[in-house]
Amino acid sequence: MFAYVIRRLLRTLLVLVGVSVVVFAFVRSIPGDPATALLGERATPEAAAKLNAQWGFDKPWFINYKDLSRPFDAQYPRYVNQLLHGDMGSGIKSQIPVADELKTRFPATIELALGAMVFALSIGLPAGILAALRRNSLWDNLATTISLVGVSMPVFWLGLLLSWFFAVVLGWLPPSSRLSTGLNIQPVTGMYLLDGLLRGRLDVAWDAFKHLILPSIALGTIPMAITARITRSSLLETLGQDYVRTARAKGLPARSVTLKHALRNALLPVVTVVGLQMGALLGGAVLTETIFSWPGLGLWLYDAISMRDYPVIQGGIVFAALIVSVVNLLVDLSYAYLDPRIHYS
Amino acid sequence: MTATITTKPKKQENIFWRRFRRSTPGKLGASIVALFVLLALLAPVIKPYNPAGDIDYRYRLAPPSISAYWNQEAKEKYTEPVSGKIEYFKHPFGTDNLGRDIATRVLHGARISLQIGILATMLALLTGSLLGLLGGFFGGWLDTVLGYFSDVMLAFPGILLAIGIVSISNNPGLTTAMIAVSIVQIPIYLRLARSVVLGVREREFVQAAGALGASQGRMIFRHVLPNILSPLIVQGALSIATATIEAAALGFIGLGAQPPTPEWGTMLADSRQYYTSAPWTMIFPGLAILLTVLGFNLLGDGLRDVLDPRSTQ
């Protein structure tokens, strides 16, 4: 087990190095340069070149082939060196250190992703369980239909639809941002709903909650549909197993058979799938955040790409990939915990 | 003279069709897909598209004309001033900010979306499964490198990778979006093909072919390839759905098809300025995306029922 964890960790680390190299090369292949993007089209080439040189963007990418006596005086080695010293650089436009910006952006995205997950699980799990227990009933058909439509849903359209109906037509919920203007709160976790509760500012918590509902539903619909689907098929499979029949034959109450024997075992694939949804959630967050002007990672990256803000794009995407990789790692390792039959050699 | 049998023995119905006809999702999906394919093919006949000539400033952001059946405002809008007749089908889905008919644009969008979805998937399927086939069959360093390569690609949220690829090309448009969506899907096929090949490679009939002196190319393409097709086809149908959504998403954030191309995602992007007062500019293109994607997802499920009867999902 221990050896497996170490090997798995090394592999994750290697993948992250690969990701950083890819992102690094990608970002620099985007036509245009940060200085011109910042100074505008009418800046003289000399001024732009000077600014780029000041930021070190005139240096070779990976190896300083111009002067081999100092081979690591190139952009990537310098960037890695910076990273190892805990410095992710600063945004070119904002001049705010990327690490600081991450500290406010990341909790916003996490709050959104958690909201989406809560929505997905609170609807998807019961729907899947109900569908499996009452197979071929009206409930089953309803749950199956909803999950089919759900997985086919374009997130960005659902976002527009929700904000039109609930914010414009009914006027029940705010259409964008995280808090109403005029309200603010000293962050503890950076997740406003939680911060409001922690600091006893119930008005802020309520307001944050209302802002969170629509984006969470938009982002959570696909995971909800997938959860319902997997739960249903996994539970159906478990219910057909011999040990469930044995438990029934022993005369255990039906409730205890389904909940204790079947459901617990049926949830293993659900954990996997839910965990693997994390990557999709971060991707979906880019779209959801642009629709709801949610100031998280997605909106930040989206803006950064149009501004050619190299440090921000690099930092943000590598960070997103880090999160996805770590979650995948945890999902893998949780198998052994959840299913004692699995041994890693 | 001996009697000859004149009636041919009744041809046995293909097992594929027999199973497919029993699969409700399959039938439903196939019908939706067929409908959209038909609409896409017939679009120029049903209503020719002319981005410049179709602009009708008298009907800017006009509501769907079918709503004239119950909506007084729409009724007045679509009443012909001279004859007093109500034109219920003048702009059935309404018009956009330039007075372009949304129904026509959605119709022609079907051509674009189906093209992107199918081409992108085919490209990814061919490249990815070829690489996976080779990696799985030969193993060794090739397999390691390809595995690493797909691990790195899968660590990115898909849409971010697609955005990155489009940004590099500096040439946002349909072709670029298609290639980007396609590249993102390559690792999926690579892994799928590889895992199936690993199972098939050790089976007796492949070993036997090798023992009989078949060349490696023959073993791969004649013996292994046909046996990994089923999962690839199922994944293919499901991938068209994903590709359609991703291409529309790129259009939506302005990195896909460019206006005035009537691509569904691009139409949704255009609608963002108007949808609060003219929701029909947003509702119909999105509904078209949803239905197309639903159709391919159902078709994929149906094909799985047919081609892989062991799977319970």
Side-chain angles (χ1 to χ4, degrees):
Chain A
M1 179 72 193
F2 183 71
Y4 174 81
V5 174
I6 295 293
R7 246 187 318 153
R8 192 68 180 67
L9 267 175
L10 279 179
R11 197 179 162 90
T12 306
L13 216 64
L14 211 61
V15 166
L16 283 174
V17 172
V19 166
S20 74
V21 172
V22 169
V23 173
F24 186 87
F26 254 44
V27 169
R28 276 156 185 75
S29 311
I30 300 177
D33 58 278
T36 315
L38 184 70
L39 297 174
E41 289 292 322
R42 276 182 287 175
T44 59
E46 291 78 26
K50 199 175 148 213
L51 203 51
N52 277 327
Q54 190 191 322
W55 289 323
F57 294 137
D58 59 336
K59 296 203 186 306
W61 289 2
F62 292 106
I63 288 178
N64 187 5
Y65 54 83
K66 289 177 192 154
D67 178 6
L68 285 174
S69 61
R70 289 182 308 158
F72 296 120
D73 189 20
Q75 293 186 44
Y76 185 71
R78 286 173 65 149
Y79 181 63
V80 172
N81 185 36
Q82 255 187 12
L83 273 185
L84 293 178
H85 289 90
D87 177 9
M88 299 175 85
S90 300
I92 283 172
K93 191 179 166 208
S94 62
Q95 288 300 323
I96 300 172
V98 172
D100 289 356
E101 184 102 36
L102 262 180
K103 271 180 217 148
T104 62
R105 296 283 184 162
F106 184 55
T109 298
I110 285 296
E111 184 173 39
L112 178 57
L114 284 179
M117 268 300 161
V118 168
F119 171 76
L121 294 179
S122 60
I123 309 274
L125 272 181
I129 295 172
L130 198 63
L133 293 182
R134 310 236 188 293
R135 198 178 182 182
N136 293 330
S137 69
L138 183 69
W139 288 111
D140 185 17
N141 288 332
L142 189 71
T144 313
T145 311
I146 290 179
S147 74
L148 255 169
V149 173
V151 285
S152 310
M153 187 62 83
V155 172
F156 43 102
W157 181 59
L158 183 64
L160 292 178
L161 212 58
L162 288 170
S163 91
W164 167 67
F165 193 71
F166 289 100
V168 179
V169 177
L170 297 176
W172 289 353
L173 294 165
S176 63
S177 81
R178 294 179 70 191
L179 277 181
S180 301
T181 37
L183 279 179
N184 55 53
I185 187 162
Q186 189 66 31
V188 187
T189 59
M191 294 182 249
Y192 290 165
L193 174 55
L194 199 60
D195 287 355
L197 293 174
L198 286 175
R199 292 200 180 268
R201 289 280 306 275
L202 292 182
D203 57 327
V204 174
W206 177 240
D207 192 65
F209 177 65
K210 282 197 295 188
H211 281 84
L212 187 58
I213 296 176
L214 291 181
S216 298
I217 297 179
L219 187 58
T221 296
I222 292 182
M224 180 270 283
I226 294 178
T227 310
R229 233 178 150 176
I230 297 290
T231 309
R232 176 181 180 273
S233 66
S234 168
L235 187 55
L236 275 180
E237 201 176 313
T238 326
L239 284 172
Q241 300 277 332
D242 289 345
Y243 68 85
V244 172
R245 197 183 48 197
T246 311
R248 285 214 178 100
K250 272 199 311 193
L252 289 181
R255 193 189 173 79
S256 131
V257 174
T258 38
L259 289 184
K260 275 207 183 134
H261 294 76
L263 190 59
R264 274 174 75 170
N265 286 297
L267 284 182
L268 184 65
V270 178
V271 172
T272 315
V273 170
V274 169
L276 294 181
Q277 280 301 303
M278 198 62 203
L281 271 186
L282 283 178
V286 178
L287 296 165
T288 316
E289 287 177 6
T290 44
I291 292 166
F292 291 98
S293 313
W294 190 266
L297 273 182
L299 192 61
W300 187 43
L301 276 176
Y302 175 68
D303 292 340
I305 288 175
S306 53
M307 280 305 294
R308 310 280 177 271
D309 201 329
Y310 293 174
V312 172
I313 310 178
Q314 261 161 226
I317 296 191
V318 172
F319 188 74
L322 173 79
I323 299 295
V324 174
S325 304
V326 169
V327 172
N328 288 354
L329 180 69
L330 290 178
V331 169
D332 262 14
L333 296 182
S334 68
Y335 289 162
Y337 177 74
L338 291 172
D339 188 345
R341 284 171 305 181
I342 296 177
H343 287 286
Y344 296 110
S345 51
Chain B
M1 196 174 124
T2 50
T4 50
I5 300 168
T6 49
T7 52
K8 280 185 197 161
K10 199 176 170 196
K11 196 180 162 206
Q12 197 168 27
E13 207 180 358
N14 189 326
I15 188 160
F16 175 85
W17 287 114
R18 225 173 39 213
R19 283 203 202 136
F20 192 77
R21 278 204 320 217
R22 256 182 292 164
S23 155
T24 319
K27 274 187 293 188
L28 196 62
S31 322
I32 299 178
V33 169
L35 176 73
F36 272 89
V37 169
L38 209 66
L39 285 177
L41 290 177
L42 293 180
V45 184
I46 301 172
K47 195 140 188 217
Y49 183 67
N50 174 0
D54 285 345
I55 294 173
D56 185 350
Y57 286 108
R58 279 186 310 142
Y59 286 96
R60 282 170 63 179
L61 292 175
S65 56
I66 36 174
S67 69
Y69 280 113
W70 63 87
N71 183 331
Q72 192 57 36
E73 213 176 308
K75 204 171 197 167
E76 279 161 24
K77 184 97 190 169
Y78 287 103
T79 305
E80 175 74 19
V82 185
S83 62
K85 261 199 344 214
I86 303 167
E87 299 172 298
Y88 291 109
F89 290 97
K90 188 173 176 66
H91 296 300
F93 294 171
T95 61
D96 67 5
N97 54 314
L98 296 174
R100 292 175 296 191
D101 182 43
I102 290 181
T104 315
R105 301 194 60 174
V106 168
L107 184 66
H108 286 264
R111 279 175 93 79
I112 296 168
S113 286
L114 287 178
Q115 253 174 20
I116 293 196
I118 294 170
L119 285 178
T121 301
M122 273 168 56
L123 202 66
L125 196 148
L126 287 177
T127 331
S129 26
L130 188 68
L131 292 176
L133 188 63
L134 296 177
F137 191 82
F138 291 113
W141 65 267
L142 180 71
D143 194 30
T144 314
V145 170
L146 288 174
Y148 178 65
F149 169 75
S150 52
D151 274 357
V152 169
M153 281 180 73
L154 288 172
F156 291 97
I159 187 76
L160 276 182
L161 194 59
I163 292 176
I165 296 168
V166 177
S167 307
I168 291 183
S169 79
N170 199 30
N171 180 24
L174 276 179
T175 322
T176 320
M178 192 195 79
I179 294 173
V181 168
S182 178
I183 293 179
V184 172
Q185 299 203 341
I186 288 179
I188 299 173
Y189 288 101
L190 203 158
R191 284 202 163 171
L192 183 64
R194 177 182 178 275
S195 69
V196 187
V197 166
L198 286 183
V200 173
R201 190 180 62 177
E202 303 305 327
R203 298 257 294 271
E204 286 85 352
F205 65 91
V206 179
Q207 301 288 328
L212 286 172
S215 68
Q216 280 187 324
R218 192 180 163 83
M219 277 166 70
I220 294 177
F221 290 103
R222 291 284 302 185
H223 297 282
V224 176
L225 184 65
N227 285 289
I228 65 168
L229 280 181
S230 295
L232 288 176
I233 290 171
V234 173
Q235 181 59 42
L238 298 173
S239 269
I240 296 179
T242 324
T244 308
I245 283 202
E246 278 180 356
L250 283 178
F252 180 71
I253 51 179
L255 292 173
Q258 298 297 305
T261 315
E263 197 269 330
W264 294 333
T266 314
M267 289 175 74
L268 280 178
D270 288 346
S271 82
R272 283 188 69 182
Q273 282 177 284
Y274 311 101
Y275 78 93
T276 46
S277 55
W280 54 87
T281 54
M282 168 268 291
I283 290 175
F284 294 102
L287 207 57
I289 303 177
L290 175 65
L291 282 175
T292 313
V293 174
L294 185 65
F296 280 108
N297 273 334
L298 284 167
L299 184 64
D301 284 354
L303 287 174
R304 179 160 41 202
D305 290 345
V306 176
L307 296 172
D308 185 9
R310 275 160 308 174
S311 84
T312 47
Q313 205 188 86

